[in-house]
Amino acid sequence: MHDTNQTDRTPFKGFVTFLAINCAHFIVEAWPRGRTVVQRKTGASQYEKANFFSRISFHFMQDTVALGYKRPLLQTDIATLMPKRMQAEFSFERLSAKWDTVRDKHAVKGTAPSLMKTILTSFKNQWTVIMILRILTSVMTYVSPQLFNSLLGFIQSYAMPDETDRKPVSLGVILAFGMFFCSIVVTYLNAQLQAATVNLGIEVRTALMSMIYRKALRLSNDARQKSTAGEITNHMSVDAERWPMSLSFLPMIISVPIEIAIAIWMLYGLIGWSIFVGFGAVVLMPPIHAKLSAFFATFRAAKMKAMDSRLRLVNEVLGGMKIVRLYNWEESFKEKIGVVRRDELKMLRKFGVVFSWVGLVFLSTPLVITLVSLAVFATHGGPNFGPGDINPQTIFVSISLFGLLSRPISAMSSTLSQVTSITVATTRIQKFLLAEELDESMIEREPEEGQNDGHPVIEVQNGIFAWFNYSPTLTNISFSVPKGSLTAVVGRVGQGKTSLLSALIGEMYKRQGTIRIRGRIAYVAQQAWIINATLKENITFGLEFNQDKYDRIVAASGLLPDIEMLPGGDMTEIGERGINLSGGQKQRVSLARAAYQDADIYLLDDPLSAVDAHVDQHLWENLLGPNGLLKDKTRLLVTHGIHHLEHVNQIIVVKDGQITENGHYDELMDAKKGFFQLIEEFSVNARRNRKKKAMDGAVLEGEAVEEEEEEEGASETATQKGDNKEVTKTPPKKDDKAAELIAAEKMVLGRVTWGVFDIYLRAASYPVSVVIVFAYLLMQTCQVGTNIWLEHWTRISENGTRSPAEFLGVYAAIVVVYMGLNFFTTYLLMVVAGLRATAQLHDALLNAILRLPMSFFDTTPLGRIVNRFSTDIFATDNTLPWGFMTCLMYSVSVLATIVVIASTTPIFLAMVPPLFIALVSIQRYYIRPSLSLRRIDSTSRSPVYQHFTESLVGVSTIRAMGVSNTFILQNEKKATVSANAFFTYQMVARWLQIRLESLGATIILGAALFSVLNRGSLNPSMVGLALSYALTVTQDITLLVRSYCDLQNQLVSIERVDEYLRKNSEAPISLPTDDDLPEKWPQAGRIEFRNFSTRYRQGLDLVIKNITFEVQPAEKVGIVGRTGAGKSSLTLALFRIIEAANSHWAKANGGSIWIDGVDISVIGLSRLRKHLAIIPQDPTLFAGTVRENLDPFEELQDADLWEALERAHLKDHISSLAGGLSFKVSQNGDNFSVGQRSLICLARALLRKTKILILDEATAAVDVETDELIQKTIRKEFKDRTILTIAHRIKTVMDSDKILVLEKGRVEEYESPKLLLQREDSLFFKLAQQAGEIKDKEEEEEGQ
């Protein structure tokens, strides 16, 4: 190149030939794929089909971007984009295999394995590529300053008086294009680097999510108590998410020192040893980094701990929202969540303050280095320590290099923060993955041989079992169950019946003894677990569908009338937690699911307690009993119903955690021990002849089924008794749309509107926001001012009339002002505005959620709501303030660049309009698909968390029935869909990056070419100033558009929060009319229903239809009726959980309810609910202490609480627990039996001194003896109160003053039980007869 006299063209020809061959090869390689039939039919993803050119330019995303610009993108539009290796199945296999190996090796050594190290080694090939790209990008970034140096030398040569010293114009043009192409190369390298890090981040995330899910299914009971559902969900939604979000910072640990070293080496070539004086400031950084690293690690851990606590509380409140409403506990839980949230905000405030100082240190460091280095150079940087030569080439190339140096130095703080956050998140996941697992070897499992060889299928010998690591729950357990037998387990509340079944499925710790199980197990939990899927999917539970088998099981489970009534038949979607089924329907679905498994052994935990007497009889005769569908299977049935015990093969009596009696019914009766006394005292028909009873039972079975079909076929069957939520009308035909209960998550279309910005800015404060913007403008002015001052210095330095101290003094003053503004703006944005905004938005969201009507929770999955409190609030806590900061920073930076270049070369202004149009066009073209993809990404996460939460609730059933693999596959599928959405979003961002940075490169080309073309008329100082800014503008423009688009995407979180803020709430908590009520209202307890009708949601049929009746003060009324009659609907209406039909709070035309002469629709909800007491059907306890569960507002003395527990027959048990009233209740009250939870709810009711008490199936989960004790307590303690009792057991309401019989939502009968029993045609008489509470006439005659 330099030898212009060379004549041999052979090397040149060889080069051209080589270039031509490479170009041809590139064209062949870049030829579009996916055109042939074979290529189109392949299952490869769009990414894998893309050719080399398409991949490096991200052109394979063009069709997606174009489609997204035309219309909002859908999940199906992006389904084939992600490479297979990134799918959950493959990424899990890769990481899990390595982790298992590492964990086992460390287990042998007795040391702790490192998950972080395992991740790094598992994906070492990707890491190698990432590190090569990172280093190449860093090195290539510093080629531009070298070309810039040469270009300034070219410009400066035209300032020479001797024309022979001037360099050829062609050199200037080549240098200009060299800078352009160098910028393009850096752009492509950087895009590939970011794509590689994001892709690896997604792989790690999906792998970790799969590992967390699998681990959650294997956790021991003790480990599950230590890791709450909120914490485990956090591992998946927040901790695993750190990898794709922060992985790009990990390679910077190596690249930052390299970039700093290159910059120093190049600066040394310009200003000599002076750079080392300035760089002394950098030497001070490591100790500062160490301190900050420790702080960030502590902060992240504390922040996540506070977030875990908050999400645990939120999960509990959402899961028990109906109970919270019934007890009027919203304010209590709001305060509890508020306390934890305030701790979280304290952490954020502390972080914001420290981050402001960090920003001051790191962002100001380059200016300080520049100041110190140039000061030393100007005074002692020349030969013999004399003044250095201050010229444009030296100063502005130095400034350019200082600008490049500022990036790695400034990146230190964010790198430190992000690497710390990844480390903390990974450590949290590691701790979870190392938690204790179930010991699968605890149970000796053998396959069922298919023939009865005399060996028992269940055998327990000398078993001692415990739930936790303290005293055992079950001791001296020995029993066996023969094949094909029906064994009943009976006993009082809290004696260990459920624990016995839990021991058989491996849920408890085995301290001693042996358990042998021969065959597959099907398990039915006491509280039915229903998944959010269709009714058919709930029954088949992942098995292959068999129509004949399915029909037989559905009929035996008594579900045919329900299926006929559901709008979509058995394809009707069942809501989360079975929200749109009654308690009895949920239990029958659970039984049908178990039957469909065709297992060898059936463990049934009191499934009959949730059903009415006639349904009980049907299930016994057709499914569970000696002649039922499961007659040849081995069945172990926990039951409180004593009327079936004569027909079982074996009875096991459990008392105080031991088996006290074991044998056949006749043997136990002959023994005349505790079982004999129980039967004699509580069974009306204990002396009934067996043969005669069996014959009567057969008749009763036909009658029961006939009546059930007649009743349920004509009424709204989908009325819930626990949550009691009706979902169906009675349409003439099945409708797929009607079958859906849970609507797809709403996704706003189009770009984020100004209204969303307005919501955030109002929360942050408009005045503060204006001050922040003004401060940023001043800060950028100072930054530009330092460079203008340097340009002024170089221009007049030749005169030598002023001392360097004068120039350095002004420069130092500008730097100090800049530093002050830097701290001020960061503090205002992160601490003042950011904290204020996130606090207000979280509180507003919490208030809104606590005020939404129950119908919202019936149709909205909990995972979807929790996602607002986790992912979206995390965005307002952390990413949104940062998003606004970066957007402002790059906006003023680009504006400053354009102003500086335009002031130097005005002709450059001609490029601004087309550049601006191109910039806006690309941004608009990108923003539509980007927002769609961001929303798809957000909505695709909710199903993952929802499925996860659902699995955690039913983990015992999943494990017992051996369907873990089915649920793991479901989790993988949902995680892959979520990963694909995030991958597409990130690839579209890379598509934008390539195009924007290429556009930015044209600014460099334009500024350089204009400088070359106007070389004779331009001041070298001004050219140096303009080009030093032009070199940074490529990245600044990209970052500006990216940060603005990212900000819009982050604002989707505000949009999602606002969606819930705009929903209609339930009636007001308080009203002015509350003040007009008597102080002790209600004083008497009179209740009147006047032509009252109600429905659960608009568009559904009425569940209560124009009923009118009156309950006198202190009257005891029993409410009975078949499934779906509307019994629980009455109680919900009394608490105004559901309002009168067609009403809007007090404007009702669906009738009214009056208490002591006051229409309850004109009373505030708080005043109404706190003056009513209820013992609900689903006894719910919250994590905390026993004291907090009884008295959340801390209004009562301990003596009052102990007295209530004594009356509830629970004092002895609570006293025996560690801490007594301070004993920690685990999540969902799992360390109490269901019966004990019911007794705690009774104690709650005893503590509420109200005149009205509602018992909604309050004793369904307790044994008959405890039921009798509870009824005695109620009769004694509530004798002067009005009581409404809903009960399956007719015996429970036999001593009521009146019986209210409901049928199809209407009052069928309302008389005293004595009068109703005298009328054999009355519905109550038939119900009592079916329940075995009325002796046959023949028996009565015999008795006489």
Side-chain angles (χ1 to χ4, degrees), residues 546-582:
N546 181 308
Q547 187 69 56
D548 180 59
K549 174 183 173 183
Y550 178 79
D551 290 343
R552 283 187 288 111
I553 289 170
V554 165
S557 305
L559 286 168
L560 278 176
D562 303 280
I563 290 173
E564 289 171 7
M565 285 301 301
L566 291 170
D570 59 3
M571 296 306 292
T572 299
E573 183 183 10
I574 306 304
E576 202 172 15
R577 308 180 311 285
I579 203 79
N580 50 327
L581 295 178
S582 74

Side-chain angles (χ1 to χ4, degrees), residues 628-677:
L629 194 64
L630 301 178
K631 62 185 177 183
D632 297 325
K633 305 291 185 180
T634 305
R635 290 142 293 158
L636 192 62
L637 172 70
V638 171
T639 182
H640 291 133
I642 58 178
H643 51 290
H644 295 308
L645 297 180
E646 291 178 75
H647 304 291
V648 304
N649 304 108
Q650 179 182 2
I651 298 170
I652 296 173
V653 182
V654 180
K655 184 177 182 182
D656 297 327
Q658 298 186 17
I659 296 176
T660 56
E661 297 178 67
N662 185 0
H664 188 268
Y665 181 85
D666 291 338
E667 295 171 359
L668 299 186
M669 290 298 288
D670 292 341
K672 295 191 176 180
K673 293 183 180 179
F675 180 79
F676 170 80
Q677 294 172 358

Side-chain angles (χ1 to χ4, degrees), residues 58 145 340 395 466 493 548 619 647 931 981 1002 1029 1041 1046 1072 1171 1176 1294 1296 1318 1322:
F58 297 90
V340 180
I395 292 299
V493 169
D548 180 59
L619 290 172
H647 304 291
L931 285 172
T1002 62
Y1029 274 92
V1041 175
D1046 286 348
H1171 287 97
M1294 288 293 274
S1296 300
Q1318 290 172 1
S1322 75

Side-chain angles (χ1 to χ4, degrees), residues 1171-1187:
H1171 287 97
L1172 301 175
I1174 185 170
I1175 304 177
Q1177 181 183 16
D1178 293 328
T1180 303
L1181 300 186
F1182 299 97
T1185 64
V1186 173
R1187 181 185 288 103

Side-chain angles (χ1 to χ4, degrees), residues 323 326-327 1131 1135 1173-1179 1237-1246 1253-1259 1270 1274 1278 1284 1286:
I323 301 300
L326 290 171
Y327 285 120
T1131 66
F1135 283 83
I1174 185 170
I1175 304 177
Q1177 181 183 16
D1178 293 328
R1237 290 178 228 168
S1238 296
L1239 296 179
I1240 290 177
C1241 290
L1242 171 62
R1244 283 176 185 162
L1246 289 164
L1253 172 66
I1254 293 93
L1255 307 175
D1256 187 1
E1257 310 286 8
T1259 58
I1270 290 173
I1274 289 170
F1278 299 96
L1284 305 182
I1286 299 170

